[in-house]
Amino acid sequence: MKIPFLDIAAQIRPLRTEIDAAISKVIDSTAFAGGSFVEEFESQFATYCDGPFALGVGSGTEAIWLALLAMGVGHGDEVITVPSTFLATAEAITYTGAKPVFVDIHPQTYTMDPALLSQAITPKTKAIIPVHLLGHPADLQPILHIARQHGIFVVEDACQAHGAEYHGKKTGFLADAGCFSFYPGKNLGAFGEAGAVLTNNPDLHEKIRVLRDHGQIKKYHHTMVGWNCRMDGIQAAVLNVKLPHLDHATQLRRQHATTYNQLFAGLENIITPFQAPWVKHVFHIYAIQVERRDALIQFLAHQGIGTGIHYPIPVHLQEAYRHLDYSQGSFPVSEKTSRQFISLPLYPELTVEQIHTVSQAVKNFLHQSPHA
Ligand SMILES: *Cc1c(COP(=O)(O)O)cnc(C)c1O
């Protein structure tokens, strides 16, 4: 039995008729770039996240970039984030002209370690981007506390955390801006590229709204130099169909994660995901840590089980960021997870039987090489 790492087709199948009808409506109305379907999604998604404004944009990367631009981040500034993230978080910083500065992650939550934050702040620090990695919200209260003392903005990278909660509140409106990706593989995925920026701040909202549309306040009246970062109507229409199903999908992800945790309980050579008591984890990714990670990937692949690594090279050691002059050992926790993380199949449509097959295969591997 083959078990793929991701099965987007299985997720679409039951919604296909509804999605086809929604796409047809966009075609009939020709509202392709921005327009009424995007506005509807913005309103639905803001409501879902319990806040006032959401702006549809072209991707999660653009969402972070625009949020930083609207905050006035640019050349000569520094923006703090974590090395254990998808490169896009750092790229968005670089594309404002600012310099990414890293703070290591906490060994249990895999998100920014607030205890290490103060020492990374300099007079040039303009913003901090905690990443809700794998679907586990970062510990925002101490981060916001430090940021407020220094007058620094905080941007949530919530690209992996749709519907996740921190102290009972949904991610997205917990800081100055919240950025989401609707890349097809994310917990809420479009049929192509899409993203959103959320903010409680009317000033930031207005700036981002204008920036994403060539700096236009109305057609052909440009008050700033912006960029083309509009969301497509077709993506919005697909997301409008999928959003009402997100909570049920999240519930299934959480159930599956609990099942894996139970099946792995008591094994010494495997670290299962931690869930802080103050969060609702949405398990975008179910990652465990094992020492012989690469051998386990091979072992599972031979049995038709797909896996992933999130991520094999931390950002500070990527060739693209060699000029920042970080070396091996700079961020030991991020470096350790990059060596030991393996992401197992976890999606709503996975069956309990499949979860048993995967976990049994992992156990067989650990059993045959007990010092793994
Ligand atoms: C996916 C992702 C992004 C970028 O989103 P895109 O829509 O692919 O541009 C940024 N940060 C994190 C943590 C992500 O997982």
Side-chain angles (χ1 to χ4, degrees):
M1 179 171 59
K2 268 205 172 353
I3 305 178
F5 176 63
L6 197 68
D7 192 355
I8 296 175
Q11 186 202 76
I12 296 167
R13 223 169 280 128
L15 303 175
R16 183 61 190 265
T17 315
E18 220 184 321
I19 290 174
D20 284 350
I23 292 176
S24 286
K25 264 171 80 178
V26 180
I27 297 171
D28 291 339
S29 72
T30 69
F32 293 126
S36 60
F37 298 93
V38 173
E39 283 165 23
E40 184 188 340
F41 175 68
E42 290 172 339
S43 151
Q44 299 292 335
F45 194 62
T47 303
Y48 174 80
C49 298
D50 297 322
F53 313 116
L55 289 162
V57 296
S59 68
T61 312
E62 283 181 356
I64 302 168
W65 181 59
L66 289 172
L68 294 174
L69 286 180
M71 291 166 179
V73 173
H75 286 277
D77 296 329
E78 293 177 354
V79 177
I80 297 173
T81 190
V82 288
S84 180
T85 182
F86 181 55
L87 197 85
T89 320
E91 265 179 323
I93 297 169
T94 300
Y95 259 62
T96 65
K99 179 183 160 189
V101 170
F102 301 109
V103 162
D104 210 353
I105 54 169
H106 184 274
Q108 282 184 299
T109 65
Y110 305 142
T111 63
M112 183 178 282
D113 189 342
L116 304 173
L117 178 57
S118 290
Q119 68 200 54
I121 291 175
T122 76
K124 293 179 179 172
T125 311
K126 257 288 186 41
I128 303 169
I129 314 181
V131 180
H132 303 322
L133 198 76
L134 314 181
H136 187 295
D139 193 3
L140 286 172
Q141 275 172 7
I143 294 170
L144 282 164
H145 181 75
I146 295 166
R148 295 301 177 240
Q149 284 177 331
H150 292 85
I152 297 169
F153 288 107
V154 177
V155 178
E156 292 173 73
D157 181 340
C159 289
Q160 302 189 356
H162 316 71
E165 292 176 18
Y166 178 74
H167 288 292
K169 288 190 175 153
K170 290 248 175 70
T171 57
F173 287 109
L174 299 171
D176 297 299
C179 300
F180 288 86
S181 165
F182 308 112
Y183 181 75
K186 301 289 161 94
N187 286 20
L188 179 61
F191 278 14
E193 308 287 345
V197 191
L198 279 56
T199 178
N200 288 305
N201 179 325
D203 266 4
L204 286 178
H205 174 261
E206 181 57 18
K207 273 197 194 127
I208 295 164
R209 193 181 65 77
V210 173
L211 280 171
R212 74 162 172 187
D213 189 22
H214 301 290
Q216 297 183 103
I217 43 161
K218 60 179 184 177
K219 202 168 174 82
Y220 305 135
H221 289 68
H222 307 264
T223 56
M224 309 181 231
V225 177
W227 200 255
N228 177 358
C229 303
R230 294 177 300 244
M231 181 187 266
D232 286 356
I234 285 179
Q235 303 311 335
V238 170
L239 292 169
N240 284 329
V241 173
K242 290 176 93 179
L243 180 59
H245 300 277
L246 178 59
D247 279 342
H248 180 60
T250 299
Q251 195 190 326
L252 292 170
R253 283 177 186 275
R254 287 169 53 78
Q255 265 174 30
H256 295 341
T258 304
T259 306
Y260 270 130
N261 286 345
Q262 284 164 352
L263 292 165
F264 291 139
L267 294 175
E268 273 171 19
N269 35 14
I270 179 171
I271 300 173
T272 54
F274 172 78
Q275 180 173 209
W278 30 268
V279 308
K280 178 179 172 184
H281 194 325
V282 294
F283 292 97
H284 171 54
I285 300 288
Y286 183 89
I288 57 173
Q289 287 191 71
V290 294
E291 269 181 22
R292 288 182 57 234
R293 185 264 315 274
D294 295 334
L296 176 56
I297 290 174
Q298 289 295 315
F299 183 86
L300 295 177
H302 278 127
Q303 295 168 60
I305 298 171
T307 56
I309 305 175
H310 299 86
Y311 296 88
I313 307 171
V315 179
H316 69 288
L317 298 178
Q318 292 283 355
E319 194 177 337
Y321 281 115
R322 191 182 284 170
H323 60 277
L324 295 178
D325 266 344
Y326 285 106
S327 54
Q328 193 90 35
S330 305
F331 303 104
V333 184
S334 296
E335 290 167 22
K336 175 173 179 269
T337 57
S338 75
R339 285 192 304 269
Q340 300 200 352
F341 260 166
I342 166 171
S343 309
L344 301 180
L346 187 136
Y347 32 93
E349 298 74 21
L350 205 63
T351 65
V352 173
E353 192 191 356
Q354 287 174 313
I355 296 170
H356 278 264
T357 305
V358 175
S359 63
Q360 192 53 53
V362 172
K363 285 184 196 174
N364 291 345
F365 172 81
L366 294 174
H367 191 69
Q368 73 170 36
S369 44
H371 301 295

